[in-house]
Amino acid sequence: MGNRIDLRGVALVTGGCGGLGRALCEHLSRAGMTAIALDLPGLGADVDLDVTDADAVTRAVEQVVTTHGRLDVVIANAGVGVGGVVEALPADAWKRSLAVNVEGAINVLRASYPTMIEQRRGHLVFVASLAGLVPTPLLVPYAMTKHAIVGLATSLRPEAARHGIGVTVVCPGPIDTRFLDTGGRAGMIEGVDGRRFLTGVAGPAVMPGAVAEATLSGIRRDRAVVTPGRAGLLWRAVRLSPRLSEQVIARAMRAELAR
């Protein structure tokens, strides 16, 4: 499905100044694209942007299209990590997760999709997580939103193909960035060592560059789901043996809570 896009065009990356976002911009630039990083003010982005502000997202995309005359790749990468045991999470934790991870992605989609439809070409990429494919206790709000993003991307894909637009969702395991330790600038992970827990279940964190490389490969090949590194193996393991996988994940959860 979808149209193999020209990697010499224009790409937008939200959350473009973080570890993965920066790596995505670098790899897109090396591929010959004009990569534009969008991120919160004060981070050195090409365009300052809060993805939760729908009007601001629309203005930013319109500005880029007016300046460059095209829009070839849009990567909705901005996100926050929120976790802790559910009974201890305040209401704001859920609201923050939904606002940034889900509503932010929807804002990016609604701002960029009409231009791509008019062009009859382009590729939309949504950065989700392995947590959007498998059970992830202690990070329930985060996992909930990433499952939503997987559903958004895979359901949109057949519709978008009618317009010559590709859609890919990227589901990496733990990535070796500050996000893994802090949940991002607006994240909140209470009482859980995210790095220790996630790498204990999913294996060593992968480097941002490896995820960026896998993402570009997924765009070129018009892949529906990209699972960099060990993520694909773990996803298959959960599907093949859900009961055993649940037991392994629960054991790791109890070990983390006992620390």
Side-chain angles (χ1 to χ4, degrees):
M1 284 186 204
N3 185 37
R4 306 265 175 125
I5 64 95
D6 180 3
L7 285 181
R8 290 171 296 186
V10 176
L12 300 184
V13 181
T14 66
C17 295
L20 177 56
R22 187 180 303 112
L24 286 165
C25 288
E26 290 171 353
H27 279 68
L28 288 163
S29 296
R30 289 175 198 158
M33 300 199 75
T34 299
I36 300 170
L38 296 83
D39 215 322
L40 293 168
L43 299 181
D46 298 309
V47 177
D48 289 342
L49 181 68
D50 180 346
V51 295
T52 66
D53 185 338
D55 291 338
V57 175
T58 298
R59 288 194 300 269
V61 172
E62 288 176 347
Q63 175 187 339
V64 170
V65 174
T66 298
T67 301
H68 297 277
R70 62 189 294 174
L71 186 60
D72 298 279
V73 173
V74 172
I75 303 182
N77 170 65
V80 296
V82 175
V85 291
V86 164
E87 62 268 28
L89 292 174
D92 182 61
W94 300 92
K95 293 177 182 177
R96 192 181 316 171
S97 296
L98 289 167
V100 178
N101 296 356
V102 178
E103 293 174 20
I106 293 169
N107 291 340
V108 171
L109 166 63
R110 296 190 69 243
S112 56
Y113 196 45
T115 294
M116 290 186 173
I117 290 176
E118 184 178 349
Q119 294 174 160
R120 303 293 300 179
R121 71 173 189 275
H123 206 100
L124 293 162
V125 179
F126 296 91
V127 177
S129 168
L130 179 61
L133 298 172
V134 306
T136 311
L138 305 185
L139 290 163
V140 172
Y142 177 75
M144 171 192 67
T145 61
K146 294 307 182 180
H147 273 78
I149 293 303
V150 172
L152 166 64
T154 56
S155 300
L156 172 64
R157 183 175 163 85
E159 286 194 31
R162 296 159 44 243
H163 306 293
I165 301 167
V167 180
T168 295
V169 62
V170 182
C171 298
I175 306 173
D176 195 7
T177 66
R178 290 183 64 249
F179 186 95
L180 187 56
D181 300 304
T182 65
R185 190 176 184 186
M188 180 189 75
I189 300 178
E190 297 290 345
V192 177
D193 186 321
R195 178 180 292 269
R196 181 175 60 205
F197 173 60
L198 293 173
T199 57
V201 174
V206 297
M207 297 305 295
V211 178
E213 185 175 342
T215 300
L216 265 65
S217 176
I219 296 170
R220 290 191 180 100
R221 297 168 60 190
D222 192 23
R223 294 279 301 278
V225 181
V226 174
T227 49
R230 291 166 48 94
L233 176 64
L234 293 168
W235 183 29
R236 287 192 294 274
V238 169
R239 286 183 294 167
L240 288 171
S241 184
R243 185 174 180 82
L244 177 60
S245 300
E246 181 181 345
Q247 291 172 349
V248 171
I249 293 168
R251 189 179 305 121
M253 175 197 70
R254 289 193 295 270
E256 177 62 31
L257 291 175
R259 293 179 185 274

